[in-house]
Structures are given as C-alpha cells and as structure tokens.
Amino acid sequence: HCESCIGKQFSELLLKRELELCQMMLYRDERNFHAWAYRLMIRNFMKETIDFDQELQFCADKIRANFANYSAWHTRSEVLKRKVLTMDSEQVFFQLKHELEWVRQAYYTEPQVESTWIYHEWLLRGELVRALSEQQRQSVFEYELDSLQELLEIEPDAKYALLAQARVLVLMHR
C-alpha cells in the first residue's frame, strides 16, 4: 500500500526529503533494515536521478563501519544491478574486479562474516559476471580461486571460504 501511495503522490522534492530522512536514520543505526528497505523503495521511484557512484559510496561507508551490515551489501548489489545496464563489457569487467578486490579486503579482515560471503556469491553469479565474455568470466574465476586458496592457507577452517572455493570450481566447469 505504501509503495503505491508514494509512487503516485510524492513529488521529486518529497522523495528527496524522504531519502534524507532515511540517511539520518541510517547514520544513527546503519543496520536498520527497515530504513534500508524504505531507502531502496524511494530510490526506485527516483530512477531518473540516481547517481550510482554516490549510492555505492554511501553503501561503502556503511559497510566500512560494519562488515556484517547485510542490508548495505544487499543495497550495493541492487545499485550495481542497475548500473551494469549503463555499462559496456570492459566497464563491467573493471567494476567486477574492483568489487571483488573490495570484498576480498572484507573477508580477509573478518572471514567469518556471512554477509560478505553472500555478496561475494552474488558477484560471481549475478548480473555483473553474466555481462562478461566467457574469457573474462574464466579469468575472474581463476583469480578468485587463487585468492581463496591464499586465504585458506592462512585460515584453513574458514567455512565460508571453503564453500566459496567449491562454488567457484563449479562455476569454472559449467
């Protein structure tokens, strides 16, 4: 019900105010999933005015504050789903490599945080990787496999890293 009222009756100015309210709430509690969901809904109504880089930066700030912030990781994936539609294959490849490097820093710091690994799985199965050529995809998978092996040498009991390694091996041989 809320969605249909907001979408039809809120002006761009009111939507911006709602977005500011969400940002205020998230500065007080960066894991408030209600605020994240509402923020995403507001952003959906503001399609024409989305600044992808600004959105990704906002998510990055919240993730840096807390790697376990699943809502921030999820929102980041939603923003990237839209951004990829505006990119060519080379730009997508660069963006994916950047995202994987960034998530790698998170899982090397806290390998037991599940949110990071859920985002990692989305990166390897989602819109970004599907937009690549087969050669680019295999290159990403090989690099990721090496990175996971390196982490497992340091943290041999890291269960999420073991699961990710198995996923990458399956993806490589499809």
Side-chain angles (χ1 to χ4, degrees):
H1 173 71
C2 182
E3 262 185 78
S4 62
C5 290
I6 291 172
K8 293 176 184 170
Q9 297 177 3
F10 275 31
S11 68
E12 199 68 18
L13 179 62
L14 285 175
L15 289 171
K16 286 180 183 178
R17 286 185 182 159
E18 287 295 298
L19 191 63
E20 289 169 7
L21 176 64
C22 289
Q23 284 184 222
M24 250 180 18
M25 291 172 14
L26 291 169
Y27 279 115
R28 290 180 150 256
D29 176 11
E30 73 268 350
R31 292 185 68 183
N32 181 334
F33 67 92
H34 296 292
W36 279 105
Y38 186 62
R39 186 176 195 282
L40 203 51
M41 185 180 73
I42 294 296
R43 274 300 191 195
N44 285 337
F45 291 120
M46 300 173 71
K47 287 180 186 161
E48 296 78 40
T49 59
I50 291 177
D51 178 340
F52 295 119
D53 294 328
Q54 182 182 3
E55 284 296 297
L56 293 172
Q57 186 58 51
F58 182 79
C59 293
D61 292 344
K62 298 301 166 201
I63 292 167
R64 278 188 200 97
N66 183 347
F67 285 135
N69 188 339
Y70 175 80
S71 296
W73 287 111
H74 173 72
T75 300
R76 190 171 180 86
S77 72
E78 292 296 318
V79 171
L80 284 169
K81 282 179 191 178
R82 289 205 191 110
K83 184 178 180 183
V84 75
L85 298 173
T86 68
M87 302 165 78
D88 65 34
S89 177
E90 284 304 310
Q91 291 170 319
V92 173
F93 186 59
F94 177 77
Q95 183 74 47
L96 180 59
K97 286 171 55 175
H98 171 76
E99 293 298 312
L100 285 167
E101 185 58 42
W102 198 64
V103 79
R104 193 172 294 120
Q105 292 173 20
Y107 68 60
Y108 265 85
T109 304
E110 296 185 45
Q112 75 285 2
V113 174
E114 187 176 18
S115 301
T116 306
W117 293 103
I118 292 170
Y119 184 71
H120 180 260
E121 181 178 4
W122 176 80
L123 287 173
L124 296 177
R125 292 180 184 233
E127 283 75 1
L128 291 174
V129 86
R130 286 192 295 243
L132 301 178
S133 70
E134 184 60 31
Q135 183 180 3
Q136 289 171 321
R137 216 178 353 262
Q138 288 302 317
S139 166
V140 166
F141 294 154
E142 288 170 14
Y143 187 77
E144 231 13 63
L145 198 56
D146 290 343
S147 175
L148 291 165
Q149 186 58 44
E150 187 178 298
L151 175 62
L152 286 166
E153 288 171 11
I154 301 166
E155 298 277 348
D157 297 328
K159 72 176 181 179
Y160 295 119
L162 288 165
L163 288 169
Q165 185 181 45
R167 271 191 221 102
V168 171
L169 286 168
V170 167
L171 290 168
M172 285 178 78
H173 299 292
R174 282 192 169 174

